[in-house]
């Protein structure tokens, strides 16, 4: 094989040979030929491979695996015959123990690389040390001012764990095809039995396909928008055994639906059959309208001893075994004593909220999807939980509104405005005080500070993109003692923890939980604690030894603005500079042109501008 020099250009179709030395965040193998980096799917660290060049950039490229010349000690034969083309499981080629180590390292590396934390900021507990109570003692760890990084929690049996499947239906020639989409495509890979799904999936899929053939029901055609059946959605309650089947259709009605109901209801566990109508020409799976055609319009499941009613549209964690572990870890980190007020942001159908409500004084869940909030209210009702309250709206908008309502004339959150809990219960539960739960729509809010109380603990469980900056700003401004962050993407977790660290919240514990064996995804719970000023050393300063004007004399507001504009191409106001000066402890003169309005809305400095101002203050040696 002709050796390529660093200046050579690789061409599509070239054959290359190298060792896999690392894995990307997308679980692609990483290797090098000289200074050129390659990404190759279906490879394992330690493999020696031959690959075909597919695409080249300036100093990296993508190649397709041609042959494993020397297999890694961690390489395994995939149990699924279509694990390669199917986009679901990307790590079946490697041992499960090796996957867990990869995920653990992924979380830690993201915290260091993206979060800006140092390796020495963490105490990494070895797996064989988790039973040692002395090592796990948090007070001992806190004295070292470091964060405990626990070993990832994996599954004893990492198969058949998914309680939900969405099976696309289409055409292949004259034949109906059903299975899962190949990675990054809408090409259906036919799957007889998905090994991470429930065993009933195969029988339900075959029953629907037999019905379609018998009654001449056409599958949906993405190209021209014709056909009837688009997807088969299946959900199962692991604790109850109840199964829901939801057929997503491209028409207003499903012909011969009675025959389908008869066939599906004969399958053990099927308690609910739904039709979802989706006539849009998009990739969105579910439409706006869902109707019940057999049995109940929901199924039930339990996490711990909390029962949840799950509709076709509900967000509900797909791995109930690990979800129980995850939520108990949230409860452990929160360390509730019984009288705390908790905010649960991005609460969904109230799964975490209701878990916390068992031990908290009261819990406020905030969720943007109205149907999810209705489900959360119903779930609180069926569990007779009357200390959980749910609000419909974007968490960032609600908290921004709350923050502005609570800001006093001095521009800070006024905790003296906290209402008596009994008063707030009267306002929320109605005249009889017997309603088990109350649901508030953001559009109906007139005085949010009388609806949402100050938090002792904030729990966030955002989507993959992480928390909105306004949400983080308001949560930190509310000054809870603890923040528990539940994340499905450790990259955005690291980004958000970096911001919260700047607001005085130090990571104390981090625990990864493997919710998705055989994929590269991992769930993470992080506990952040507000710096305890009572534990800081008191220092006596003699005023005659301190030049109080020295910081102010370093640079004028105009000089700071000029520096930021030149270096960052940003314009900042005098107000923003004053806010950051105050945050840094720089004494400010009294401003005599204050607004006479009692509830003056004070704009707050953005994170980008705050960082620029901090840079300027350091440049002028003011901090």
């Amino acid at each position: 094989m002709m050796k390529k020099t660093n200046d050579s250009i690789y061409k599509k179709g070239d054959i290359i040979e190298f060792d896999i030395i690392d894995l990307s965040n997308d679980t692609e193998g990483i290797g090098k030929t000289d200074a050129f980096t390659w990404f190759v799917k279906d490879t394992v660290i330690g493999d020696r491979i031959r690959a075909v060049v597919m695409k080249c950039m300036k100093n990296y490229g993508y190649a397709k695996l041609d042959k494993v010349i020397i297999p890694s000690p961690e390489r395994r034969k995939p149990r699924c015959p279509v694990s390669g083309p199917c986009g679901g499981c990307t790590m079946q080629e490697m041992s499960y123990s090796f996957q867990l180590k990869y995920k653990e390292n992924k979380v830690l590396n993201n915290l260091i690389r993206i979060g800006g934390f140092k390796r020495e900021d963490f105490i990494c507990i070895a797996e064989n040390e988790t039973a040692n109570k002395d090592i796990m003692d948090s007070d001992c760890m806190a004295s070292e001012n470091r964060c405990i990084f626990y070993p990832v929690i994996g599954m004893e049996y990492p198969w058949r764990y998914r309680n939900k499947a969405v099976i696309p239906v289409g055409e292949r020639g004259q034949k109906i095809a059903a299975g899962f989409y190949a990675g990054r495509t809408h090409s259906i890979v036919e799957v007889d039995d998905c090994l991470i799904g429930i065993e009933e999936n195969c029988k339900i899929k075959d029953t629907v396909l037999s019905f379609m053939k018998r009654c001449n029901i056409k599958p949906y055609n993405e190209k021209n928008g014709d056909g009837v059946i688009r997807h088969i959605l299946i959900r199962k309650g692991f604790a109850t055994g109840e199964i829901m089947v939801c057929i997503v259709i491209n028409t207003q009605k499903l012909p011969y639906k009675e025959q389908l109901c008869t066939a599906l209801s004969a399958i053990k566990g099927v308690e609910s059959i739904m039709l979802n109508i989706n006539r849009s020409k998009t990739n969105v799976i579910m439409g706006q309208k869902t109707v019940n055609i057999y049995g109940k319009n929901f199924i039930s499941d339990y996490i711990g001893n909390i029962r949840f009613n799950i509709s076709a549209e509900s967000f509900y964690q797909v791995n109930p075994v690990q979800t129980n572990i995850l939520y108990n870890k949230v409860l452990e980190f929160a360390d509730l004593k019984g009288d705390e007020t908790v905010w649960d942001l991005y609460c969904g159908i109230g799964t975490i909220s209701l878990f916390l409500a068992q031990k908290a004084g009261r819990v406020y869940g905030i969720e943007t999807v109205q149907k999810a909030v209705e489900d959360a209210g119903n779930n609180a009702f069926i569990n007779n939980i009357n200390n959980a309250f749910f609000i419909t709206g974007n968490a960032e908008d609600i908290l921004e509104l709350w923050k502005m309502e609570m800001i006093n004339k001095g521009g800070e959150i006024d905790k003296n405005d906290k209402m008596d809990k009994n008063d707030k219960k009267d306002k929320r539960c109605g005249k009889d005080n017997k309603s088990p739960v109350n649901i508030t729509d953001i559009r109906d809010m007139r005085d949010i500070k009388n609806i949402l109380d100050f938090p002792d603990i904030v729990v966030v469980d955002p989507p993959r993109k992480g928390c909105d900056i306004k949400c983080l700003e308001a949560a930190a401004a509310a000054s809870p003692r603890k923040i528990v962050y539940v994340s499905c993407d450790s990259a955005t977790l690291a980004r958000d923890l970096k911001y919260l660290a700047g607001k005085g919240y130090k990571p104390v514990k981090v625990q990864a939980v493997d919710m998705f064996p055989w994929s590269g995804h991992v769930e993470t719970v992080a506990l952040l604690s507000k710096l305890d000023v009572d534990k800081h050393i008191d220092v006596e300063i003699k005023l005659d030894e301190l030049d109080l004007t020295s910081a102010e004399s370093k640079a004028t507001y105009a000089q700071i603005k000029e520096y930021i504009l030149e270096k960052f191409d940003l314009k900042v106001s005098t107000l923003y500079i004053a806010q950051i000066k105050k945050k840094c402890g720089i004494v400010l003169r009294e401003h005599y042109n204050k607004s006479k309005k009692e509830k003056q809305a004070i704009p707050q400095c953005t994170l980008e501008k705050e960082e620029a101002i901090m840079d300027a203050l350091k440049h002028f040696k003011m901090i």
Side-chain angles (χ1 to χ4, degrees), residues 18-236:
F18 52 86
D19 296 322
I20 299 299
I21 58 175
D22 202 354
L23 292 179
S24 72
N25 279 340
D26 295 328
T27 71
E28 292 173 313
I30 299 174
K32 286 182 178 292
T33 53
D34 299 318
F36 206 88
T37 301
W38 297 100
F39 297 89
V40 189
K41 283 181 60 181
D42 305 325
T43 56
V44 182
I45 294 175
D47 281 345
R48 176 75 179 176
I49 68 163
R50 184 169 67 213
V52 181
V53 174
M54 302 301 292
K55 182 179 181 181
C56 286
M57 311 303 283
K58 184 177 180 181
N59 53 9
Y60 70 94
Y62 298 91
K64 183 178 180 181
L65 178 65
D66 179 58
K67 182 180 180 181
V68 177
I69 299 170
I70 303 174
S72 164
E74 301 297 338
R75 175 169 280 279
R76 302 290 184 269
K77 182 180 178 181
R79 288 179 60 173
C80 175
V82 293
S83 66
C86 176
C89 298
T90 58
M91 302 183 80
Q92 280 201 25
E93 294 82 10
M94 66 184 71
S95 68
Y96 186 56
S97 60
F98 195 70
Q99 288 179 51
L100 294 178
K101 197 62 184 174
Y102 160 78
K103 294 180 181 185
E104 190 176 302
N105 290 336
K106 177 181 178 179
V107 175
L108 182 59
N109 290 337
N110 280 338
L111 290 172
I112 294 170
R113 181 175 58 86
I114 300 171
F117 300 100
K118 298 177 181 177
R119 179 63 182 79
E120 54 266 29
D121 291 336
F122 298 94
I123 296 179
C124 296
I125 306 298
E127 190 172 1
N128 60 359
E129 293 176 331
T130 55
N132 189 329
K133 190 177 185 303
D134 293 334
I135 291 176
M136 308 301 286
D137 186 86
S138 59
D139 291 335
C140 174
M141 296 300 181
S143 68
E144 298 189 44
N145 201 32
R146 296 164 75 188
C147 174
I148 312 173
F149 190 88
Y150 296 98
V152 62
I153 300 175
M155 296 192 73
E156 289 185 16
Y157 183 72
W159 304 98
R160 302 292 186 194
Y161 64 83
R162 286 188 65 94
N163 59 14
K164 177 183 177 182
V166 179
I167 302 172
V169 182
E171 287 182 312
R172 178 158 294 162
Q174 300 299 313
K175 179 186 172 186
I176 300 173
F180 298 102
Y181 290 129
R184 299 175 185 175
T185 74
H186 265 232
S187 174
I188 295 174
V189 176
E190 295 185 74
V191 178
D192 289 331
D193 181 20
C194 176
L195 299 175
I196 62 172
I198 59 174
E199 293 180 348
E200 293 90 342
N201 285 345
C202 187
K203 191 169 185 178
I204 291 169
K205 179 202 69 175
D206 290 346
T207 299
V208 174
L209 297 189
S210 294
F211 159 77
M212 293 174 68
K213 293 173 186 174
R214 186 170 62 253
C215 298
N216 196 28
I217 306 293
K218 298 294 184 183
Y220 179 65
N221 186 312
E222 279 193 346
K223 293 181 180 178
N224 59 29
D226 292 338
V228 178
I229 293 184
R230 301 174 66 133
H231 290 89
I232 307 166
L233 184 150
I234 305 167
R235 312 192 79 148
K236 181 177 181 179

Side-chain angles (χ1 to χ4, degrees), residues 370 390-393 439-445:
Q370 186 171 352
F390 298 96
I391 302 171
T392 306
I439 299 172
T440 305
D441 194 305
I442 183 64
R443 292 168 296 185
D444 298 328
M445 289 185 181

Side-chain angles (χ1 to χ4, degrees), residues 8 87 108 283 409 431 537 551 587:
S8 298
L108 182 59
N283 294 336
K409 295 178 185 177
K431 294 179 181 179
I537 300 172
V587 179

Side-chain angles (χ1 to χ4, degrees), residues 433-585:
N433 267 343
K434 293 180 180 178
S435 303
V437 69
N438 192 27
I439 299 172
T440 305
D441 194 305
I442 183 64
R443 292 168 296 185
D444 298 328
M445 289 185 181
R446 297 293 181 268
D447 189 3
I448 192 170
K449 68 181 182 181
N450 291 333
I451 296 171
L452 190 60
D453 205 351
F454 278 93
D456 299 298
I457 298 170
V458 171
V459 177
V460 295
D461 184 11
R464 195 168 299 281
K465 67 178 183 178
C467 289
D468 185 277
I469 188 66
K470 290 192 295 183
C471 179
L472 291 176
E473 285 177 352
S479 195
R481 290 186 289 105
K482 300 175 185 176
I483 297 175
V484 181
Y485 195 126
V486 183
S487 169
C488 58
D489 187 334
S490 57
T492 53
L493 168 71
R495 179 202 67 198
D496 292 349
L497 261 56
K498 180 179 182 180
Y499 174 83
L500 290 169
K503 295 293 184 181
Y505 284 89
K506 170 185 172 295
V508 177
K509 298 178 181 180
V510 175
Q511 173 71 72
V513 179
D514 187 23
M515 300 281 286
F516 315 102
W518 314 111
S519 80
H521 301 300
V522 60
E523 204 88 2
T524 310
V525 187
L527 169 65
L528 293 88
S529 180
K530 189 170 179 62
L531 291 176
D532 189 348
V533 296
D534 293 333
K535 293 184 179 179
H536 284 62
I537 300 172
D538 293 326
V539 178
E540 182 181 354
I541 301 174
K542 295 182 179 179
L543 295 180
D544 58 356
E545 296 177 0
L546 179 65
D547 180 6
L548 290 177
T549 61
S550 62
E552 282 194 305
S553 67
K554 296 290 184 184
T556 65
Y557 283 95
Q559 289 172 320
I560 293 172
K561 290 178 183 180
E562 184 180 1
Y563 172 85
I564 292 171
L565 182 62
E566 184 176 340
K567 181 172 181 179
F568 298 97
D569 196 26
L570 289 174
K571 291 184 178 180
V572 297
S573 67
T574 300
L575 172 63
Y576 287 170
I577 297 172
Q579 287 174 353
I580 305 310
K581 275 186 168 185
K582 185 173 183 179
K583 182 183 292 187
C584 295

